[in-house]
């Protein structure tokens, strides 16, 4: 809810003995009297707002310098072609509602008491002083050469400032179980993880709900997935060119598998299972035991003369062979049991 209520009033009386007063003393006295009146009405006191004070003081001092109550001389709300809403906006003050009281008097022994009495006698000024929703105020008071005191009081309920976003550092493990390099993004940081490889990523973010944006092979648009701290996730290929991002159950039972490998080529063959690297010499045979929490274990082979890996599925207690199909053409095949 927003309020914007205004009031202007002036009072000219016969000359009386006037005590010399400083503007800051007058402003402080007016604040005390306004808060005292609010207390009588069981209303919370107004806190001084530096921004509102600066706006009010500039307005009051401008009128005092020209010794003129507003542009027209009769309405102090409009000064230099601007109304109170213009002045609030120009100062960049964010609020949920505001009001302004303006006024003047001359030849008064106690200009503050007279101003308060005049404002309280006016329905609109009274409303501004006693609005419960207002929590802040700014007061400006200045005296012109003619002896007139010009008063400006702003009331407001400031907009709540946004709280600084909390920074969270999260650690996640990502496993690429596909045969392709996967590109992904967290916030504005971009990454890639090669086929068959796993990475541990530490990332600090202010996002309330951290997400990873994945651009699947052959796709142009990214797909978003939620992340959780200290969790393991996997990029998997469900079907041909159909991919998914899945959370790996940390409590999944560990599976120990044993496979037989036979290098039937004339070259040494380098391969990897998980992050563990191996090498088999030409004609060498052997058994490999590997413990994994994933139901699908793959072997990544770097064939002689190549740099890119090729992924192959393996099954527990299976027998496999590295074979040379043609010159520099290799394959990984399930070996027939003899």
């Amino acid at each position: 809810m927003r309020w914007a209520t205004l009031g202007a009033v002036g009072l000219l009386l016969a000359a009386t003995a006037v005590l010399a007063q400083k503007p800051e003393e007058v402003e402080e006295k007016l604040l005390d009297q306004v808060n005292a009146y609010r207390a009588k009405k069981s209303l919370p006191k107004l806190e001084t707002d530096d921004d509102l004070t600066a706006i009010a003081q500039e307005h009051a001092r401008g009128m005092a310098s020209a010794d003129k109550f507003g542009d027209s001389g009769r309405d102090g709300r409009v000064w230099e072609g601007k109304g109170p809403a213009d002045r609030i906006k120009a100062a960049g003050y964010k609020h949920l509602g505001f009001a302004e009281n303006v006024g003047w008097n001359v030849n008064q022994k106690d200009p503050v008491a007279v101003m308060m009495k005049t404002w309280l006698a006016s329905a609109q000024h009274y409303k501004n002083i006693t609005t419960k929703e207002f929590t802040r105020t700014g007061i400006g008071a200045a005296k012109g050469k003619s002896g007139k005191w010009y008063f400006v009081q702003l009331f407001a309920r400031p907009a709540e400032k946004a709280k600084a976003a909390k920074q969270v550092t999260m650690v996640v493990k990502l496993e690429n179980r596909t045969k392709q390099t996967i590109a992904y993004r967290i916030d504005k940081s971009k990454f890639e993880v090669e086929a068959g490889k796993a990475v541990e990523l530490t990332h600090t973010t202010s996002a309330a709900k951290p997400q990873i944006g994945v651009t699947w092979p052959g796709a142009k648009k990214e797909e978003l997935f939620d992340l959780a701290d200290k969790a393991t996730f996997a990029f998997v290929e469900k079907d041909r060119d159909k991919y998914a991002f899945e959370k790996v159950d940390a409590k999944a039972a560990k599976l120990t598998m044993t496979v037989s490998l036979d290098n039937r080529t004339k070259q040494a063959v380098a391969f990897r299972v998980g992050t563990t690297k191996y090498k088999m010499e030409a004609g060498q045979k052997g058994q490999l035991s590997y413990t994994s929490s994933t139901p699908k274990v793959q072997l990544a082979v770097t064939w002689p003369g190549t740099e890119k890996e090729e992924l192959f599925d393996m099954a527990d207690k299976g027998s496999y062979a590295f074979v040379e199909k043609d010159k520099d053409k290799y394959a990984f095949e399930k070996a027939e049991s003899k």
Side-chain angles (χ1 to χ4, degrees):
M1 181 178 180
R2 290 178 176 270
W3 314 274
T5 52
L6 319 169
V9 66
L11 185 64
L12 176 63
L13 296 176
T16 59
V18 178
L19 298 176
Q21 300 180 75
K22 296 180 180 180
E24 55 269 25
E25 294 174 346
V26 172
E27 292 164 356
E28 185 176 356
K29 187 174 181 180
L30 179 57
L31 175 63
D32 290 341
Q33 291 197 16
V34 168
N35 275 333
Y37 190 82
R38 284 174 65 91
K40 288 182 181 179
K41 299 296 180 179
S42 299
L43 297 171
K45 76 172 186 176
L46 299 171
E47 298 291 339
T48 300
D49 187 296
D50 291 342
D51 294 327
L52 293 178
T53 298
I55 299 169
Q57 287 180 343
E58 183 178 0
H59 184 188
R61 290 168 184 172
M63 291 191 294
S65 178
D67 222 351
K68 187 178 181 182
F69 190 55
D71 290 345
S72 66
R74 298 183 301 275
D75 185 354
R77 293 171 297 180
V78 180
W79 180 246
E80 295 182 335
K82 296 179 180 179
D86 300 316
R87 290 185 285 274
I88 290 278
K89 184 177 180 180
Y93 189 82
K94 305 298 181 183
H95 62 87
L96 299 178
F98 79 96
E100 180 189 69
N101 280 353
V102 292
W104 65 271
N105 58 57
V106 67
N107 297 328
Q108 301 301 312
K109 184 177 181 180
D110 190 346
V112 172
V114 173
M115 194 75 267
M116 271 294 293
K117 184 177 180 179
T118 305
W119 279 348
L120 292 175
S122 163
Q124 188 60 67
H125 293 80
Y126 175 86
K127 179 181 177 182
N128 295 344
I129 291 172
T130 58
T131 295
K132 182 179 180 180
E133 288 77 8
F134 292 146
T135 59
R136 301 291 183 86
T137 189
I139 297 174
K143 190 176 184 180
K145 291 181 180 180
S146 65
K148 288 182 181 179
W149 274 98
Y150 296 87
F151 295 89
V152 178
Q153 182 169 18
L154 286 167
F155 308 83
R157 184 180 185 88
E160 293 184 7
K161 294 182 179 179
K163 294 182 179 179
K166 184 179 180 181
Q167 296 288 312
V168 177
T169 298
M170 60 187 304
V171 179
V172 296
K173 185 178 180 181
L174 302 175
E175 298 177 356
N176 184 0
R177 299 178 185 173
T178 76
K179 299 179 181 180
Q180 306 289 334
T181 295
I182 303 296
Y184 61 95
R185 173 187 61 79
I186 300 179
D187 290 340
K188 295 182 180 180
S189 301
K190 296 181 179 180
F191 309 90
E192 284 188 347
V193 58
E194 295 180 6
K197 294 190 176 181
V199 295
E200 187 172 83
L201 181 69
T202 300
H203 187 75
T204 300
T205 179
S206 59
K209 192 175 183 181
Q211 290 185 311
I212 182 172
V214 183
T215 304
W216 298 114
K220 293 182 179 179
K221 292 184 178 181
E222 68 175 22
E223 193 172 354
L224 294 175
F225 303 94
D226 294 338
L227 290 174
D229 186 31
K230 299 178 183 178
T232 299
F233 299 88
F235 304 102
V236 297
E237 188 169 4
K238 293 290 189 179
D239 200 353
R240 184 180 177 86
D241 297 329
K242 298 291 183 181
Y243 301 92
F245 183 73
E246 300 177 345
K247 188 174 182 180
V248 178
D249 185 0
K251 296 181 180 179
K254 297 289 185 179
L255 171 66
T256 299
M257 64 183 296
T258 302
V259 296
S260 296
L261 298 175
D262 182 0
N263 184 1
R264 299 176 183 175
T265 75
K266 298 177 181 179
Q267 306 287 337
V269 176
F271 62 94
R272 173 182 58 79
V273 180
T275 57
T276 307
K277 296 181 179 180
Y278 306 88
K279 187 176 183 181
M280 287 190 76
E281 299 296 333
Q284 183 181 356
K285 296 181 180 181
Q287 280 194 332
L288 175 69
S289 293
Y290 184 77
T291 301
S292 172
S293 60
T294 63
K296 185 177 181 181
V297 177
Q298 291 183 312
L299 179 142
V301 184
T302 303
W303 297 114
T306 64
E307 295 181 357
K308 290 186 178 181
E309 292 182 333
E310 192 172 355
L311 294 176
F312 302 94
D313 295 337
M314 294 191 299
D316 187 29
K317 299 179 182 178
S319 296
Y320 301 90
F322 302 103
V323 297
E324 189 170 2
K325 292 290 190 179
D326 200 354
K327 185 175 182 179
D328 298 329
K329 298 292 183 180
Y330 300 92
F332 182 74
E333 298 178 344
K334 192 169 184 179
E336 294 182 4
S337 58
K338 296 181 180 179

